[in-house]
Amino acid sequence: MTEYDDKEQIKYMPVQSNLALCRHVLRRTENELQSNIAASMQPAGDQCSGGSNIFTEIPENSPNGTFVANLSMFGDPVTSTVKLCLSGTDSDWFYLDGKNVWLNVSFGKTLDKEVLDSSVLLVTLSCSEEGYPMVQYRIIVQILNENDNKPKFLEESIAAQNISEVAAIAKSRISLDCIMMPNFWGYFGILHFVRQLAEVDSVVFTAKAMDLDGDTLMYVIDRTRGDFKYFHMDLPYNGKVLLSRPLDYENIQELEVIIHAVEMTTRERQRSTARVRVIVLDGDDQYPQFLPCLYMFHDGVKVCTSPTYLVNITSRLEPVGPLVFTPGPIFAEDGDKGIMTPISYSLLSGPGSDLFQIDNITGSVSLINTLESIPASTIYNLKVMALQVCDSRKFSLAEAKIRVLAPNRHAPRFGATQYQAFVQEDNNPVALVSTYNGRVLSLMPSDGDFPNVSHTI
């Protein structure tokens, strides 16, 4: 019977019955109140089922004991029958203390977002109570990033760089480097090595740096140190380093450029610095040089001028080998000392060029035939050309002067080996020297090769 039914019966029953029913209702109400009070004194059942998953955030590098989460919705684990437990792969990062979850880094680890496999730590929270099934929830902890890393250059991007000296001035042309190799018959063949030369303002290298915090980086060339005048950047965000001026291997073989990688989107503006060596390779930009060089300066530039080679030969002389010139043998080498392209020699057509021959490899000049009908004191001015084997457009000229002399088979002779003569005493400082017969002493040497012989006392 409900309370409503009781009230209806009290309304229609006689007075005696009504009093009895009132006593019954009061007695039942008192029993229900006592039951409710007794129930409130007992622990509430199934306290684990009222929870939910927990999502929270903490910064990386947080110290040990940092607050993570509160578990008050599960009652007081100390006074109640509820038992809580943390488990899972990431559970070592946390510990329980009463109603709270705290960060645990006491065993020497650091909560570093860049080192973790994931920026989210996932822990299983198990809640159990006597008489009820265990309930599990997830604690999801997002690790917040902090700017705790400097930019770091990739090693391969700042390694020593090789660049041809002609890279800054070449117009995407092809340079042929060659080596002369002896073949089966003893002659020299040519091996070609192709080098592609870069264009104007060509990219020397591309600097690359990484920021583990994901910050945006820009690259800057240090304009106070190193050889910065040779390099520039068009766009600071791509790290491409370009040439600013031509390179000259003959003057400088190695450069250094200093690059800074700087954070752009942070308050700290952390940076890293790299020194990059740029090794200048010799490009094919020089012509052959006859040695020994006669250096002259033109507009501040030292220029190697060709010497004049000199030699005297005798007419009607049999060819006996290469002519010996002064100041040295005819010899030329590539002006690019780092390449040393092979040189080929030849004589240009001209007076007397048909009387001589030149070895195209060694540069030695020799007679072809005996000079029978060549008058004495004849001078041949031969033009010797030295050119690169792989590029005939690169050549130099030198002059070889060959003076033809008459044969000289006899030494000059006097008529006697001893002469006797007299000088009369006189105050005159000049006097004739006479022989016994009064003739003036005459010393006239003779030469079987030359009619006119000069002599001195």
Side-chain angles (χ1 to χ4, degrees), residues 101 187 238 285 335 341:
V101 179
Y187 295 97
N238 60 16
D285 63 340
T341 301

Side-chain angles (χ1 to χ4, degrees), residues 176-369:
L176 295 179
D177 295 340
C178 53
I179 299 176
M180 300 185 70
M181 300 292 292
N183 58 23
F184 178 79
W185 295 278
Y187 295 97
F188 284 81
I190 302 171
L191 294 180
H192 295 274
F193 296 88
V194 180
R195 176 185 298 163
Q196 180 71 44
L197 305 178
E199 297 181 356
V200 174
D201 287 337
S202 59
V203 177
V204 181
F205 65 95
T206 300
K208 286 293 183 183
M210 296 292 294
D211 192 305
L212 295 179
D213 299 315
D215 301 318
T216 301
L217 301 178
M218 70 173 294
Y219 303 90
V220 180
I221 293 178
D222 194 318
R223 312 303 294 183
T224 63
R225 296 177 293 168
D227 302 298
F228 61 89
K229 61 185 178 181
Y230 285 93
F231 307 97
H232 70 277
M233 286 183 170
D234 286 343
L235 300 174
Y237 298 101
N238 60 16
K240 292 183 178 181
V241 178
L242 293 80
L243 280 173
S244 296
R245 60 176 60 186
L247 303 176
D248 187 0
Y249 174 87
E250 284 67 39
N251 291 327
I252 187 169
Q253 289 83 44
E254 186 172 312
L255 301 169
E256 181 183 67
V257 58
I258 300 171
I259 309 294
H260 301 292
V262 187
E263 295 175 350
M264 289 298 298
T265 56
T266 64
R267 181 181 66 255
E268 297 82 5
R269 298 291 294 273
Q270 297 195 77
R271 64 171 57 196
S272 293
T273 301
R275 294 175 177 267
V276 182
R277 284 196 313 134
V278 179
I279 301 172
V280 181
L281 303 178
D282 199 358
D284 190 10
D285 63 340
Q286 299 292 321
Y287 286 73
Q289 297 175 348
F290 282 95
L291 302 181
C293 271
L294 300 178
Y295 287 105
M296 299 179 63
F297 286 89
H298 176 71
D299 292 338
V301 179
K302 187 168 66 173
V303 179
C304 173
T305 61
S306 300
T308 299
Y309 298 97
L310 303 174
V311 68
N312 295 331
I313 62 173
T314 305
S315 62
R316 295 188 295 276
L317 178 69
E318 293 289 336
V320 293
L323 303 180
V324 180
F325 290 88
T326 58
I330 296 176
F331 179 74
E333 66 180 13
D334 188 2
D336 298 306
K337 301 301 186 293
I339 299 178
M340 296 303 288
T341 301
I343 302 299
S344 177
Y345 303 90
S346 61
L347 293 177
L348 300 184
S349 298
S353 61
D354 57 333
L355 302 176
F356 304 91
Q357 62 183 2
I358 187 170
D359 190 300
N360 67 330
I361 296 175
T362 65
S364 298
V365 177
S366 57
L367 277 169
I368 297 177
N369 296 305

Side-chain angles (χ1 to χ4, degrees), residues 29-57:
T29 301
E30 182 180 0
N31 292 335
E32 290 178 355
L33 289 174
Q34 290 177 353
S35 298
N36 291 337
I37 293 172
S40 64
M41 300 297 294
Q42 299 296 326
D46 197 12
Q47 298 182 68
C48 294
S49 62
S52 63
N53 293 332
I54 299 173
F55 178 84
T56 186
E57 299 174 337

Side-chain angles (χ1 to χ4, degrees), residues 58 101 118 126 140 146 157 178 205 207 240 244 251 332 344 346 355 364 393 398 401 427 432 434 447:
I58 58 173
V101 179
S118 172
S126 300
I140 304 169
E146 289 190 335
S157 73
C178 53
F205 65 95
K240 292 183 178 181
S244 296
N251 291 327
S344 177
S346 61
L355 302 176
S364 298
R393 296 170 299 179
K401 286 190 175 183
N427 293 331
L432 294 175
S434 303
D447 190 300

